[in-house]
Amino acid sequence: MTDGFDALLAGRGGLTYEQLDAAAERLQALVTDTAVAQIGRRLAHEFDIEVGTDRAPRLSPPPGYRRPAAGAITTHVLARSRSSRPAHAEVWVTVWPALGGADVSDLLLLREGTDRSLPIDVRDVHPQPVDSLRDRLNGFVAEQVASVVAALNVAMQRAWLQGGHDS
C-alpha cells in the first residue's frame, strides 16, 4: 500500500468493487437473456428447460477473482427430457469479477466444473454492453447450450436403457 492506495481494494478499470459488481450483474443478465433466447427458439419442443439465476454460495472464485458482495452471480440452466423422465442435465455459468491488482481479465465468465471460460474487459460491459460483446456471448452461450443438450442426450440414452421412458 502506497500513498493510501491499495490496488487489491480499489476495483478494476477505474471502477470501485461496487461498480464492478454492478457490471458483473449486467453481464449475467445478458448471459441469461441470451440463453433464454437460444433455448426458446430451437429446443423448447424437445425438452423442458429452465433458465434462472442462482447466488451459488457453494462456488469458489478462481485465482485472481473474488466473490461479489451479494454472492456468486450465476446463470443456471436445467434441461429435462420430456420422454425420459429421470433424464436431466444442468450447467452453471458464473461471472467472476477480478481482484484489484490481479493480472487477469476484469470479468471472467466461467462454466463451473470445466475450463470453458470467456474473459471480458469491463469496458465491454460498462456503462452498457457493446455489440461485439453480445456477439462473443452469443457464441459462448451457444457452446454451453449445445454441451448441456449433448449431456441430456446421454442421460436420456441411459434412462431409456434402464427403462425410464414413457411409452
Side-chain angles (χ1 to χ4, degrees):
M1 188 155 124
T2 59
D3 298 331
F5 177 78
D6 184 345
L8 292 177
L9 300 176
R12 301 285 291 215
L15 303 178
T16 65
Y17 276 158
E18 185 175 282
Q19 291 169 317
L20 189 59
D21 288 355
E25 293 275 357
R26 281 192 299 281
L27 178 59
Q28 186 270 334
L30 189 55
V31 169
T32 300
D33 291 348
T34 302
V36 167
Q38 288 186 8
I39 289 166
R41 60 177 179 246
R42 290 187 298 221
L43 302 174
H45 66 285
E46 299 281 338
F47 313 109
D48 290 321
I49 301 178
E50 301 169 19
V51 179
T53 58
D54 183 353
R55 283 295 171 182
R58 69 194 171 285
L59 300 176
S60 296
Y65 293 90
R66 65 182 177 77
R67 178 184 314 282
I73 304 167
T74 302
T75 297
H76 178 232
V77 178
L78 173 63
R80 291 185 183 100
S81 167
R82 289 188 174 161
S83 61
S84 298
R85 294 289 178 228
H88 72 280
E90 54 193 327
V91 62
W92 289 267
V93 176
T94 304
V95 180
W96 294 109
L99 285 167
D103 188 20
V104 295
S105 61
D106 296 329
L107 298 165
L108 182 68
L109 192 56
L110 176 67
R111 177 170 174 188
E112 296 302 329
T114 73
D115 62 354
R116 296 176 183 169
S117 64
L118 182 64
I120 297 170
D121 190 305
V122 72
R123 291 174 298 193
D124 291 343
V125 181
H126 181 79
Q128 294 297 320
V130 296
D131 289 340
S132 61
L133 173 63
R134 293 176 193 277
D135 292 341
R136 291 174 52 215
L137 279 180
N138 201 31
F140 182 81
V141 169
E143 288 176 15
Q144 305 326 304
V145 168
S147 177
V148 80
V149 169
L152 180 56
N153 187 36
V154 170
M156 288 170 56
Q157 295 299 324
R158 286 185 183 137
W160 185 266
L161 291 172
Q162 295 171 355
H165 54 84
D166 293 342
S167 300

